[in-house]
């Protein structure tokens, strides 16, 4: 998030950064909103100052026994007092309008980030190892066509997408036996590497977080539809027996699929009332789950501060977001705090489940584990000073690379262009691992430096060793790495002609000596 004062003082640089992102200039419109905010503040302050001055004049008039003048001044004070709530409302509305605009603008890229419209503009930074042969997997002497991970897993009887779909729908998987253990081994190996060799502090954070925490790392408001929201809904006893009435679905018919927050107030209230209606049908009971999921999608609270968001937040008090990545809770560990420079850098790591709705990826990577609603990832987060953030970015990349080197996987590092970077990033490196089954590179880690962009949203600051400040910290995040994709890479790169999978040497201790995964 941006400082409007900085934009006012650096309007040209701000617009240039947006242009590199493929966006139109916004400084003029933002400064106009800021002028409105300033004007509203001035009016409210002027009114209050006038009331204070009139109060003194009333005292003087009363002292001089000028009753008529005193009454006239009191009437003006009363008038100003009635006007004050309107002036304060104007000030609040002007501030919210500006904040909403600022919250929707992506971070400015560093000057050395290559320009480009999409992934085709990314630039190769480095390549690890020689380009592998496109047949034969790791066993270059054998002539066989490598299979994709889901072909291997299903043939081994240890990776099941059909049963997962019966449990949860598409984009889920059930892993069993040695492949399940291999996945666990990969996660533990990565976590041990980062804590024991790279100096990261292991954290076991909450998997459910509040709106302001998601806002802090910039998942909200822009990416609400990519998230899952858990609603703490206590179903009344009569609904347990009967279920929601058919009228609920009829009342939603004209609004289902609308943009978040646009459902009419009257409709929303009528639906909530209908949920508590005794006249309900047993055969519709199961639809309560679909109703709550629909509200999560269509009525997702963008962020608090918006009137609609506040209303819905009250209606769903206690609802929380499932984390899309441990970056969210780890980075927010310093929210609303002032740390000392001596405590920096803080380096955190966590192995957690992650949850993503993948709303914008319909039709992409529908086979296999590449794009799941639920997956595990080892996350790396650094909190540091502005002077050290670039250096920390390179260090974080090296830590993620070290994992793949130990697994002896071929990969390349890409510097993402301006059109392919994440919303909060100033600069991003993607590590792409070679998958012989697909005969292509696929992202397995993404390491980003965000500057003070997230820190401003979280109000995370530090004081220097000599007591100066507080100043905003710089934040960084990276995958160290995605466990599911590392599992895919190991399976495809370590596959054998007979369909078995050799366990990488570094993982054998975590597998209790198992060196090969075969069909049971």
């Amino acid at each position: 998030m941006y400082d409007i004062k900085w934009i006012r003082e650096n309007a040209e640089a701000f617009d240039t950064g947006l242009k590199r992102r493929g966006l139109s200039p916004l400084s003029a419109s933002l400064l106009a909103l800021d002028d409105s905010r300033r004007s509203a503040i001035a009016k409210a302050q002027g009114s209050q100052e006038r009331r204070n001055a009139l109060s003194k004049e009333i005292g003087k008039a009363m002292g001089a026994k000028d009753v008529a003048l005193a009454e006239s001044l009191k009437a003006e004070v009363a008038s100003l007092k009635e006007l004050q709530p309107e002036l304060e409302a104007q000030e609040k509305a002007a501030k919210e309008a500006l904040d909403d605009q600022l919250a929707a603008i992506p971070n400015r890229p560093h000057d050395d980030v290559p320009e480009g419209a999409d992934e085709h503009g990314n630039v190769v930074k480095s390549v690890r190892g020689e380009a592998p042969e496109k047949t034969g997997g790791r066993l270059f002497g054998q002539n066989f066509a490598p299979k994709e991970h889901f072909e291997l897993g299903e043939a081994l009887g240890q990776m099941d997408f059909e049963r997962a779909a019966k449990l949860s729908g598409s984009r889920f998987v059930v892993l069993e036996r040695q492949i399940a253990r291999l996945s666990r081994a990969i996660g533990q190996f990565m976590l041990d590497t980062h804590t024991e060799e790279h100096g990261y502090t292991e954290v076991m954070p909450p998997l459910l977080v509040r709106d302001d925490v998601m806002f802090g790392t910039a998942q909200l408001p822009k990416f609400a539809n990519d998230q899952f929201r858990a609603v703490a809904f206590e179903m009344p006893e009569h609904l347990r027996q009967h279920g929601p009435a058919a009228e609920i679905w009829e009342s939603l018919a004209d609004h289902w699929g609308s943009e978040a927050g646009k459902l009419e107030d009257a409709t929303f209230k009528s639906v909530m009332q209908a949920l508590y209606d005794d006249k309900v049908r047993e055969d519709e009971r199961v639809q309560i789950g679909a109703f709550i999921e629909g509200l999560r999608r269509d009525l997702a609270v963008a962020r608090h501060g918006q009137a609609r968001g506040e209303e819905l937040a009250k209606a769903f008090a206690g609802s929380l977001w499932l984390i899309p990545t441990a970056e969210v809770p780890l980075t927010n560990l310093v929210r609303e705090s002032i740390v000392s420079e001596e405590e920096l850098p803080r380096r955190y790591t966590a192995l957690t489940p992650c949850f993503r709705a993948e709303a914008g990826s319909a039709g992409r990577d529908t086979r296999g584990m590449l794009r799941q609603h639920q997956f595990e990832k080892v996350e790396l987060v650094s909190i540091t000073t502005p002077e050290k953030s670039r250096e920390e970015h390179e260090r974080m990349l090296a830590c993620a690379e070290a994992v793949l080197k130990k697994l002896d996987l071929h990969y390349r590092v890409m510097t993402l262009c301006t059109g392919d970077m994440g919303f909060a990033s100033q600069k991003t490196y993607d590590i792409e691992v070679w998958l012989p089954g697909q005969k292509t590179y696929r992202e397995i880690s993404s390491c980003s430096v965000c500057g003070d962009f997230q820190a401003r949203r979280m109000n995370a600051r530090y004081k220097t060793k000599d007591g100066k400040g507080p100043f905003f910290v710089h934040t960084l995040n990276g995958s160290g790495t995605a466990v599911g994709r590392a599992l895919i890479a190991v399976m495809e790169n370590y596959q054998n002609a007979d369909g078995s999978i050799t366990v990488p040497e570094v993982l054998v201790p975590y597998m209790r000596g198992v060196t090969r995964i075969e069909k049971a």
Side-chain angles (χ1 to χ4, degrees):
M1 194 164 179
Y2 293 92
D3 177 7
I4 189 63
K5 181 181 178 182
W6 182 90
I7 294 175
R8 187 172 289 278
E9 295 172 352
N10 301 273
E12 185 177 352
F14 173 74
D15 285 339
T16 298
L18 295 186
K19 183 179 179 181
R20 297 188 70 220
R21 280 271 198 173
L23 301 175
S24 301
L26 292 175
S27 63
S29 60
L30 291 170
L31 294 178
L33 286 173
D34 189 43
D35 289 340
S36 297
R37 180 187 66 87
R38 290 183 172 194
S39 176
I41 292 173
K43 288 179 181 179
Q45 289 179 342
S47 176
Q48 185 61 52
E49 289 170 0
R50 177 60 178 161
R51 284 172 61 189
N52 293 340
L54 287 172
S55 296
K56 294 179 181 179
E57 292 183 28
I58 290 171
K60 291 179 182 179
M62 295 293 288
K65 298 186 178 183
D66 189 341
V67 177
L69 176 59
E71 291 301 320
S72 175
L73 293 173
K74 286 180 181 179
E76 186 177 352
V77 168
S79 176
L80 289 172
K81 187 175 182 179
E82 289 182 5
L83 181 63
Q84 192 66 23
E86 181 182 339
L87 294 175
E88 290 175 354
Q90 290 176 3
E91 177 185 343
K92 181 181 178 182
K95 182 180 185 303
E96 287 185 355
L98 177 60
D99 287 346
D100 287 347
Q101 289 290 321
L102 290 173
I105 302 171
N107 205 349
R108 291 172 58 247
H110 278 321
D111 292 340
D112 61 345
V113 172
E115 289 194 35
D118 51 34
E119 67 273 12
H120 297 100
N122 298 340
V123 176
V124 177
K125 181 180 187 291
S126 63
V127 179
R128 193 259 175 173
E130 296 294 326
E133 295 182 11
K134 296 187 177 181
T135 59
R138 293 178 54 80
L139 305 179
F140 299 141
Q142 297 190 36
N143 185 21
F144 71 94
K147 296 179 180 178
E148 294 196 51
H149 67 283
F150 54 85
E151 296 174 301
L152 292 165
E154 289 173 334
L156 289 168
Q158 301 179 38
M159 182 179 287
D160 197 320
F161 297 95
E162 288 187 11
R163 280 194 294 165
K166 291 179 181 178
L167 299 175
S168 307
S170 62
R171 297 190 187 275
F172 290 92
V173 65
V174 171
L175 302 180
E176 295 185 9
R177 297 188 291 279
Q178 295 300 338
I179 290 184
R181 189 183 191 99
L182 180 61
S183 178
R184 176 157 56 94
I186 290 171
Q188 293 301 318
F189 151 69
M190 291 176 178
L191 200 58
D192 287 349
T193 298
H194 294 311
T195 55
E196 296 172 9
E197 299 179 20
H198 300 154
Y200 285 85
T201 298
E202 181 177 352
V203 177
M204 186 177 289
L207 304 182
L208 295 164
V209 296
R210 303 184 317 182
D211 293 2
D212 53 357
V213 173
M214 292 284 278
F215 178 79
T217 44
Q219 273 72 31
L220 295 181
K222 187 175 178 62
F223 303 104
N225 287 337
D226 291 326
Q227 316 304 328
F228 282 109
R229 190 170 178 87
V231 179
F233 184 82
E234 184 175 351
M235 191 181 297
E237 184 59 33
H238 66 272
L239 283 183
R240 294 178 189 275
Q241 298 174 4
H242 300 291
E247 294 94 297
I248 295 174
W249 319 114
E250 293 174 4
S251 65
L252 277 175
D254 294 335
H255 301 280
W256 205 257
S258 62
E259 294 180 14
K262 288 188 177 179
L263 191 67
E264 295 292 335
D265 290 345
T267 304
F268 177 75
K269 290 176 181 176
S270 69
V271 168
M272 295 306 292
Q273 290 169 358
L275 280 175
Y276 291 88
D277 188 349
D278 285 315
K279 298 177 181 179
V280 289
R281 299 208 321 252
E282 168 65 20
D283 61 350
E284 292 178 332
R285 181 183 61 79
V286 294
Q287 294 186 34
I288 187 65
F291 170 72
I292 294 300
E293 175 64 10
L295 283 178
R296 184 200 66 76
R297 296 252 183 202
D298 296 335
L299 304 177
V301 179
R303 72 178 182 89
H304 51 170
Q306 298 177 352
R308 185 76 51 148
E310 290 174 350
E311 181 178 350
L312 293 177
K314 290 178 182 177
F316 288 99
S319 62
L320 297 166
W321 299 93
L322 288 164
I323 63 169
T325 164
E327 170 201 347
V328 176
L330 293 183
T331 310
N332 275 276
L333 288 176
V334 293
R335 70 174 294 107
E336 298 170 358
S337 65
I338 300 175
V339 301
S340 63
E341 187 177 6
E342 289 86 346
E343 298 177 58
L344 301 177
R346 289 190 181 183
R347 298 183 179 115
Y348 300 122
T349 186
L351 168 60
T352 68
C354 304
F355 306 89
R356 294 184 186 173
E358 296 288 356
S361 63
R364 294 176 58 193
D365 301 320
T366 54
R367 294 294 308 275
M369 290 179 57
L370 273 168
R371 200 173 295 275
Q372 298 272 280
H373 288 313
Q374 174 186 320
F375 57 94
E376 286 193 329
K377 183 155 68 78
V378 174
E379 186 71 10
L380 305 175
V381 162
S382 293
I383 313 295
T384 189
T385 62
E387 295 78 16
K388 296 289 187 179
S389 62
R390 293 258 195 156
E391 176 184 327
E392 187 70 16
H393 191 205
E394 300 297 328
R395 182 187 188 278
M396 180 177 284
L397 173 65
C399 292
E401 285 188 77
V403 166
L404 301 184
K405 289 177 180 176
K406 286 191 172 190
L407 291 171
D408 196 18
L409 295 172
H410 173 72
Y411 66 85
R412 67 184 184 185
V413 177
M414 307 294 291
T415 303
L416 299 195
C417 69
T418 53
D420 199 32
M421 290 197 316
F423 181 83
S425 176
Q426 288 183 328
K427 184 177 182 179
T428 297
Y429 294 129
D430 270 8
I431 304 178
E432 298 179 343
V433 67
W434 176 256
L435 300 182
Q438 289 195 8
K439 298 181 176 60
T440 191
Y441 291 96
R442 298 302 294 255
E443 176 201 336
I444 194 171
S445 172
S446 187
C447 299
S448 299
V449 56
C450 300
D452 63 4
F453 188 81
Q454 293 176 325
R456 290 184 179 279
R457 301 167 79 102
M458 298 184 301
N459 195 24
R461 296 171 292 169
Y462 77 101
K463 282 191 175 182
T464 62
K465 295 177 182 177
D466 55 6
K468 292 180 181 179
F471 305 106
F472 286 105
V473 298
H474 277 203
T475 63
L476 303 94
N477 63 81
S479 312
T481 65
V483 175
R485 294 200 172 192
L487 174 65
I488 292 171
V490 167
M491 290 177 67
E492 292 196 12
N493 281 280
Y494 281 82
Q495 64 179 291
N496 302 306
D498 62 0
S500 65
I501 299 167
T502 298
V503 176
E505 184 177 349
V506 73
L507 297 180
V508 171
Y510 294 89
M511 295 289 290
R512 293 194 176 181
V514 173
T515 60
R516 183 181 290 243
I517 297 174
E518 300 174 298
K519 189 170 183 177

